[in-house]
Amino acid sequence: MEYTVQKLGRLAGISTRTLRYYDEIGILKPARINSSGYRIYGQQEVDRLQQILFYRELGVSLENIKNIVLSPSFDGVEALKQHHIKLLEKKVQLEALIVNVEKTIAMSEGRIKMSDKEKFEGFKQKLIDENEEKYGKEIREKYGEETVEKSNAYFKNMSREDFEKLESLSTQIQETLAEAFKTGDPSGPLGQKAAELHKQWISMCWGHYSKEAHAGLAQMYVDDERFTAYYDKEQPGTAVFLRDAIHIYTGMK
Amino acid sequence: MEYTVQKLGRLAGISTRTLRYYDEIGILKPARINSSGYRIYGQQEVDRLQQILFYRELGVSLENIKNIVLSPSFDGVEALKQHHIKLLEKKVQLEALIVNVEKTIAMSEGRIKMSDKEKFEGFKQKLIDENEEKYGKEIREKYGEETVEKSNAYFKNMSREDFEKLESLSTQIQETLAEAFKTGDPSGPLGQKAAELHKQWISMCWGHYSKEAHAGLAQMYVDDERFTAYYDKEQPGTAVFLRDAIHIYTGMK
DNA sequence: TGTTGACATTGACGTTACGTAAAGGTGTAA
DNA sequence: TTACACCTTTACGTAACGTCAATGTCAACA
């Protein structure tokens, strides 16, 4: 089946302007242009648009969607499974928000009391608690109380956008790292780019940056098996590779 | 409890810039300004912010949120009940999207087949708030030309199936209306059935429904000769009859 | 066959809801 | 008093389109 802009727009529930914009930014180009200059979309484009809309629904920026779907290592099925997980998380959040509104109604009718904190539950993701639970102790032990406090304070002040940025940075690191690992050279451009991205990630998480801490964290990735497992899950040896790249990047050992 | 921008921002999971912006556009002004020029928020502001975020979560524009929460007739509890309904609808949509992604995974593994149309189920949101029309500028000032334009724009993005449903509804309304007109009683069962069908038709066309808009549209059928001509083409007086039936149905005048 | 009307095209400027940076004042703990 | 995390206003930047405007294409109908 072939589609013109309007037909595809109707099918997907989006405007023709949106399709033209997606062409313009290179995120979804038509299969071909006919003799009159019309955009003609085919089966592949329909499927890609579906992927794009899944990402969009999850709040990913078009910039990031572009990087994801145009990446040579993009795995459609894997992406769908990620969508599934994210959507289930979103459902949990939505249910929290529904509980919130139910509680607020009960409160306004005088049946229960509610703290100010409760009034905003379900609006923001609970990434903080998870992070604290998972890695809090270790960071606290190795890097001291202060760093953790700062880290927490920063996290709390983050907006939804920041979280998204952080997540996209995360995926970018993963991708760059995967590519870099194939070259086998931590000092190469890709390896150094991964280190650079990782620096950005740290800066966002901690609200500040220092080479010492960066190098230290890199070593921890190798020393702590949970971190190692995380980085090695696709390719064993990745954690060591990242450490080496960072040590070269920071010029520290 | 009193809050500065940052404290309230952390509580609600939004940035300080957002709070300053909300002050700027007059949607949420602080309870007072202290001697140093700092914004200080109190209990009322916390509650209003919660309301604002509920509306924002449902995709209502700040412009409309402003009209809603600043309206003298604004009923907080009623709004919360509306949020509850909308959030449940949103949950239904989200569940449809989850089914979609599950089906897409099954398809990519070759277990089932999927039509192009199915691939986009759950994306289309018709979750525009009722109150948007209720307090929207267009409806209050002139429900004429602009409303019609908007309505037409919506048509363009409809699927074939929706369009067919709409047409069959249209004929049903015509038939019921013709029958009802013979009884001469807009409040009778046939008159009210016509009004009910008309409500369904509106809901489909606009993607949402409100009594006010319904009653307003009914009046427009009488005021605007193009609409009057359409309804009166078989039986003069039908437009007035329909308006009366709808005004009784909605309980509005 | 000419005209209509729904389609398509490429600019190009407008809009919303903030982000981000600059330049500076405030409060308190070391 | 020095540091630092707060706060302020002013102002320009941005993402993802919406919304014209000007113009070309195509099927259908009088």
Side-chain angles (χ1 to χ4, degrees), chain A residues 75-252:
Chain A
D75 180 348
V77 181
E78 183 51 34
L80 286 168
K81 287 178 180 166
Q82 287 300 319
H83 294 327
H84 194 225
I85 293 167
K86 295 281 175 192
L87 287 172
L88 290 177
E89 282 172 9
K90 204 174 166 181
K91 192 179 158 190
V92 169
Q93 195 205 328
L94 185 57
E95 274 160 355
L97 200 58
I98 290 171
V99 168
N100 182 338
V101 76
E102 281 165 356
K103 273 160 76 179
T104 308
I105 290 171
M107 185 197 70
S108 68
E109 287 170 348
R111 298 207 307 274
I112 62 162
K113 290 199 174 184
M114 247 180 125
S115 73
D116 280 353
K117 197 184 158 204
E118 282 179 289
K119 288 178 187 168
F120 295 99
E121 256 156 35
F123 284 120
K124 64 178 161 184
Q125 292 88 333
K126 37 156 192 137
L127 240 98
I128 317 151
D129 305 311
E130 268 178 38
N131 199 286
E132 169 74 14
E133 232 179 279
K134 254 193 193 165
Y135 305 116
K137 246 196 285 173
E138 280 72 16
I139 299 174
R140 214 187 287 271
E141 280 165 19
K142 294 205 178 187
Y143 298 95
E145 209 62 37
E146 257 183 307
T147 313
V148 177
E149 289 311 315
K150 267 203 169 185
S151 172
N152 278 346
Y154 199 81
F155 256 77
K156 277 184 196 160
N157 194 25
M158 274 181 141
S159 69
R160 215 160 287 172
E161 266 74 21
D162 287 330
F163 274 110
E164 279 165 23
K165 237 191 217 165
L166 210 59
E167 279 195 342
S168 95
L169 210 52
S170 239
T171 21
Q172 269 190 68
I173 292 172
Q174 294 286 354
E175 286 164 9
T176 313
L177 201 51
E179 290 289 306
F181 187 81
K182 287 182 202 155
T183 70
D185 179 21
S187 69
L190 276 171
Q192 290 307 293
K193 196 192 169 189
E196 155 74 20
L197 286 169
H198 192 260
K199 172 191 172 175
Q200 284 178 36
W201 186 79
I202 279 190
S203 305
M204 279 202 68
C205 288
W206 293 357
H208 63 96
Y209 176 79
S210 83
K211 286 181 180 177
E212 286 78 4
H214 194 184
L217 187 67
Q219 186 57 47
M220 192 167 88
Y221 284 171
V222 174
D223 293 342
D224 189 309
E225 57 183 344
R226 271 169 306 176
F227 283 100
T228 315
Y230 174 73
Y231 280 98
D232 283 3
K233 69 173 188 287
E234 301 288 325
Q235 267 295 324
T238 306
V240 170
F241 182 89
L242 178 59
R243 182 202 58 187
D244 292 340
I246 291 172
H247 280 182
I248 291 158
Y249 181 80
T250 57
M252 309 199 74

Side-chain angles (χ1 to χ4, degrees), chain B residues 193-227:
Chain B
K193 197 192 168 189
E196 154 73 21
L197 285 169
H198 192 259
K199 171 191 173 174
Q200 285 178 36
W201 185 79
I202 279 192
S203 304
M204 279 204 66
C205 287
W206 294 357
H208 62 101
Y209 176 78
S210 84
K211 284 180 182 177
E212 285 78 4
H214 194 184
L217 186 68
Q219 186 57 46
M220 188 167 88
Y221 285 167
V222 175
D223 294 342
D224 189 311
E225 56 184 346
R226 281 171 304 179
F227 285 100

Side-chain angles (χ1 to χ4, degrees), chain B residues 221 224-234 239:
Chain B
Y221 285 167
D224 189 311
E225 56 184 346
R226 281 171 304 179
F227 285 100
T228 315
Y230 173 73
Y231 281 98
D232 283 2
K233 69 174 187 287
E234 301 288 322

Side-chain angles (χ1 to χ4, degrees), chain A residues 15 17-18 21-22 36 38 56 61-63 150:
Chain A
S15 73
R17 172 70 236 250
T18 300
Y21 182 63
Y22 287 179
S36 315
Y38 289 17
R56 195 180 72 164
S61 74
L62 293 183
E63 170 92 18
K150 267 203 169 185

Side-chain angles (χ1 to χ4, degrees), chain B residues 15 17-18 22 36 38 56 61-62:
Chain B
S15 73
R17 172 72 237 252
T18 300
Y22 287 179
S36 316
Y38 290 17
R56 196 180 72 163
S61 73
L62 293 183

